[in-house]
Amino acid sequence: AQSVTQLDSQVPVFEEAPVELRCNYSSSVSVYLFWYVQYPNQGLQLLLKYLSGSTLVESINGFEAEFNKSQTSFHLRKPSVHISDTAEYFCAVSDQTSGYSTLTFGKGTMLLVSP
Amino acid sequence: DGGITQSPKYLFRKEGQNVTLSCEQNLNHDAMYWYRQDPGQGLRLIYYSQIVNDFQKGDIAEGYSVSREKKESFPLTVTSAQKNPTAFYLCASSITGPNTEAFFGQGTRLTVV
């Protein structure tokens, strides 16, 4: 079984400031790692994922996340946020040994960007 | 355009009634999933299916039922046995395998009145 902990339920930040959304996981097996974003009253969209290889992964809109195996973390960062980044962000893991993409999610972090 | 369609977007149900949420995908994905989202709780897995006529319970299957008669469709029934059904329900699909991206529908918000 695995679990995901997102340490902050809300992160307020000013526009153009840097931000880090924290994610830690625990698992008895190897996992794949994902970050999803959800805008109000909408479904989730994949932001980025770590499957293997380089531990630093990037999205097309400036977010990046680094897989740290020793700390079992997958924190999400952006050097300069925009108002449009206001959304809820979910960290998720899937079991590498499973035949399914059944995701275990954290409780989410609401990123609130103000002018 | 390919994607996942959930309907309706908003649904109101009286206590004691069963209600069925629709989920259709045209992505040709084998696997489909239902998640429930509550404020501050993240998403929790209700049921999932990898092939037609086969499905497995997730973490919170009690009070729910599903069917998978067609590859494209995976309806979820919220039964009267579900004690707290008011929530946001999300359907997803993916190709088979744990390293694949799950694509989500826009969700159905169910409110018991």
Side-chain angles (χ1 to χ4, degrees), chain A residues 36 38 43 94-95 98-101 103, chain B residues 33 35 37 56 97-98 100 102 105:
Chain A
Y36 283 84
Q38 184 181 35
S94 68
D95 178 356
S98 166
Y100 292 87
S101 182
L103 296 162
Chain B
Y33 315 82
Y35 290 90
Q37 185 178 16
Q56 287 75 38
T100 60

Side-chain angles (χ1 to χ4, degrees), chain B residues 31-97:
Chain B
M32 297 187 74
Y33 315 82
W34 275 104
Y35 290 90
R36 169 180 171 142
Q37 185 178 16
D38 296 284
Q41 295 296 314
L43 281 75
R44 292 177 290 170
L45 183 64
I46 305 173
Y47 268 98
Y48 58 104
S49 167
Q50 190 172 20
I51 57 174
V52 173
N53 293 323
D54 185 50
F55 45 82
Q56 287 75 38
K57 293 182 179 181
D59 300 320
I60 56 165
E62 185 175 352
Y64 299 98
S65 66
V66 293
S67 62
R68 188 84 186 277
E69 297 178 1
K70 300 186 299 181
K71 185 176 181 178
E72 302 80 16
S73 178
F74 192 41
L76 173 74
T77 296
V78 184
T79 75
S80 56
Q82 169 50 235
K83 299 194 184 313
N84 186 19
T86 295
F88 191 50
Y89 291 88
L90 287 159
C91 179
S93 71
S94 74
I95 61 176
T96 305

Side-chain angles (χ1 to χ4, degrees), chain A residues 32-95:
Chain A
Y32 297 114
L33 297 152
F34 303 82
W35 275 100
Y36 283 84
V37 60
Q38 184 181 35
Y39 299 99
N41 293 312
Q42 294 190 22
L44 275 68
Q45 304 170 31
L46 180 70
L47 193 58
L48 45 77
K49 61 185 176 183
Y50 172 76
L51 303 180
S52 64
S54 172
T55 58
L56 184 66
V57 290
E58 299 177 352
S59 72
I60 58 173
N61 56 356
F63 283 94
E64 64 179 31
E66 185 161 19
F67 169 55
N68 187 319
K69 188 174 183 178
S70 63
Q71 297 185 4
T72 60
S73 68
F74 191 52
H75 301 331
L76 182 69
R77 302 184 183 95
K78 189 170 185 180
S80 176
V81 295
H82 302 133
I83 295 285
S84 59
D85 293 324
T86 295
E88 190 154 25
Y89 293 79
F90 292 94
C91 183
V93 302
S94 68
D95 178 356

Side-chain angles (χ1 to χ4, degrees), chain A residues 11-17 81-87 111-115:
Chain A
V11 173
V13 64
F14 289 109
E15 194 174 20
E16 298 183 4
V81 295
H82 302 133
I83 295 285
S84 59
D85 293 324
T86 295
L111 177 61
L112 300 167
V113 182
S114 54

